[in-house]
Amino acid sequence: MSAASKHLAREAAKRRRDAAHAALAASAPALIARHFLSAVPLPPESSIAGYAAIGSEADPAELLRQLDAAGHVCSLPAVETRQAPLVFRRWRPGERLVPGDHGTRAPAPGAPLCRPGILLVPLLAFDGAGRRLGYGGGYYDRTLAALRASGSAVLAVGVAFSAQEAQDLPEDDFDQRLDWIVTEKEARRFGAAPGR
């Protein structure tokens, strides 16, 4: 797919997400938490990396609150080096966040580093094969590739509104597929991605 076509796909996906957010922002976080906790395998004291939602992203804050209360280790991503994998710093709900790159918010630079076993992933669109349309920066693809190449068992769980599902998204060689998608309607597991 050409860069121009991907740009148009991202714009259309963002419009769908904006509309879903306008309709579901109040109810979706609790439903996403319920579906995740009832379906995704979660060993005791798991290390889970979330994200601080920006714009119309589906918000995992309620899920992170419940995971923290259950004794799991939560962290949030930070960009320390552009064009490199993300790093993850320990964070508990209510702790201060500082402005990060690309309009994100991250834990303070002195917060301890974590290595997540489960990675909650924001997105613009997903499809039935676990493909994800992101923002084009490649941060999550690089991060998942690095974690998987190191032999770490890591689950990539997309967090989205059900309206963000698309058909047959384009896939480049470097794209990393999702293992699960969790929306306000369900938690769905995908098959193993090619090459894994």
Side-chain angles (χ1 to χ4, degrees), residues 67-145:
L67 290 167
D68 176 74
H72 300 289
V73 175
C74 295
S75 60
L76 297 179
V79 175
E80 289 204 336
T81 305
R82 289 188 182 237
Q83 304 303 314
L86 298 164
V87 299
F88 299 94
R89 295 196 175 276
R90 179 80 165 94
W91 176 82
R92 299 194 70 187
E95 290 182 346
R96 178 178 72 95
L97 296 174
V98 299
D101 283 2
H102 310 292
T104 61
R105 294 170 293 139
L113 291 171
C114 294
R115 188 178 191 90
I118 297 174
L119 187 55
L120 304 181
V121 184
L123 50 88
L124 286 169
F126 67 93
D127 71 11
R131 296 180 190 94
R132 166 187 169 269
L133 183 64
Y135 305 112
Y139 285 101
Y140 279 93
D141 291 314
R142 282 191 294 274
T143 302
L144 284 165

Side-chain angles (χ1 to χ4, degrees), residues 39-57:
V40 178
L42 202 61
E45 299 180 6
S46 293
S47 179
I48 298 122
Y51 60 91
I54 56 175
S56 60
E57 289 176 343

Side-chain angles (χ1 to χ4, degrees), residues 8-21 56 124:
L8 291 174
R10 286 189 176 100
E11 286 187 342
K14 177 136 184 347
R15 286 193 297 274
R16 288 195 309 275
R17 190 181 72 182
D18 290 347
H21 181 268
S56 60
L124 286 169

Side-chain angles (χ1 to χ4, degrees), residues 1 6 9 127 131-133 167-172 175:
M1 178 178 256
K6 269 197 169 179
D127 71 11
R131 296 180 190 94
R132 166 187 169 269
L133 183 64
Q167 298 299 314
D168 299 322
L169 289 174
E171 185 172 40
D172 291 314
D175 288 336

